Amino acid sequence: MKGTDFLEKLKDEMHNAVVGKDDVIEMLAIALLAEGHVILEGIPGVAKTTIAKSFAQAIGLKFSRIQLTPDLLPADIIGTVYYNQKTGEFKIKKGPIFGNVVLADEINRAQPKTQSALLEAMQEGQVTIEGHTLRLPRPFLVIATKNPLEFEGVYTLPEAQLDRFMIRVKVGYPDRGEELEMLLRKDRGKFVEVRQVFTAKQVQALIFEVRKVGTSEPVLEYLYEIISRTRSDDRLLIGASPRAGEHLLYASKARAFLQGRTYVIPDDIKAVAVNVLAHRLIVRAEYELEGLKPETVVREILDSVEVPV
């Protein structure tokens, strides 16, 4: 299956339950095929959960939802060991992390020790339950939702965890046409359940094809220059990590594949750079007070780096 066909078919099916949001759907597809994870950031009521659930239904993967709360424990996510009185043996009860697409809803409501239960899963595709290491199913995608405006009863995401998310997507208000379409379809009952249009086997085959997408040396040097300038920018306290460069490469390869190419071009890097890099950068306090955003810094760097011919 071609990447362009996959993306169009995915969008067509998801539009049965979601109005618009093509940019969000494309970023989810990029993360899935690049084997990364996503943060959907936006105020309540902009369809973050609906998008995540519809995405899992369309691609035919096992969906699991974790509602993060302050009293949630790591064992509630990864699972625990219990004693089976009938058999006289200790058994492992797997937690909701054992899914293909895992929705971590309102991730910043959980305590840091609970959020840390996701680190091993997201980085290594495995979890450790009381000394027993278990592999997670493949493909494995964590979609975390976050409300950026809440300050009561929430916790800051650790930098180590933010760096493990390949992509952050800001989900905003729909435009006038989209919201009117949504209201019309709600009024007339025209929203329907998303059908499964792909299989896990097809998705795995697409992931394998993305790995074969090539990147020339000049384009790699262009990518490195972008990463390097985030580290030397005086306005930033922390620049992009080597993992950020790796994620930028993989996301660019997935984007190239979805555009129907077998090689990465600078436009692929530009298309995903803000989503991949901005959430990892920390603006110095004096510039943050002036209203400088990490997204602005990334865009300015993209404008200043010479594009290879």
Side-chain angles (χ1 to χ4, degrees), residues 6-40:
F6 170 76
L7 184 58
E8 286 307 311
K9 194 172 182 180
L10 176 64
K11 287 179 180 179
D12 287 345
E13 187 57 37
M14 286 189 65
H15 285 162
N16 286 320
V18 179
V19 176
K21 308 297 183 189
D22 284 359
D23 56 336
V24 181
I25 296 170
E26 182 173 0
M27 285 297 164
L28 286 173
I30 287 172
L32 174 70
L33 299 185
E35 298 184 282
H37 307 288
V38 182
I39 297 178
L40 296 181

Side-chain angles (χ1 to χ4, degrees), residues 262-296:
T262 58
Y263 53 88
V264 175
I265 62 174
D267 282 351
D268 296 319
I269 297 172
K270 287 182 176 182
V272 299
V274 174
N275 296 96
V276 173
L277 299 179
H279 64 284
R280 309 166 194 264
L281 307 180
I282 298 180
V283 177
R284 291 186 183 276
E286 57 269 32
Y287 292 101
E288 189 174 16
L289 288 172
E290 294 175 1
L292 182 66
K293 302 292 184 184
E295 292 86 352
T296 302

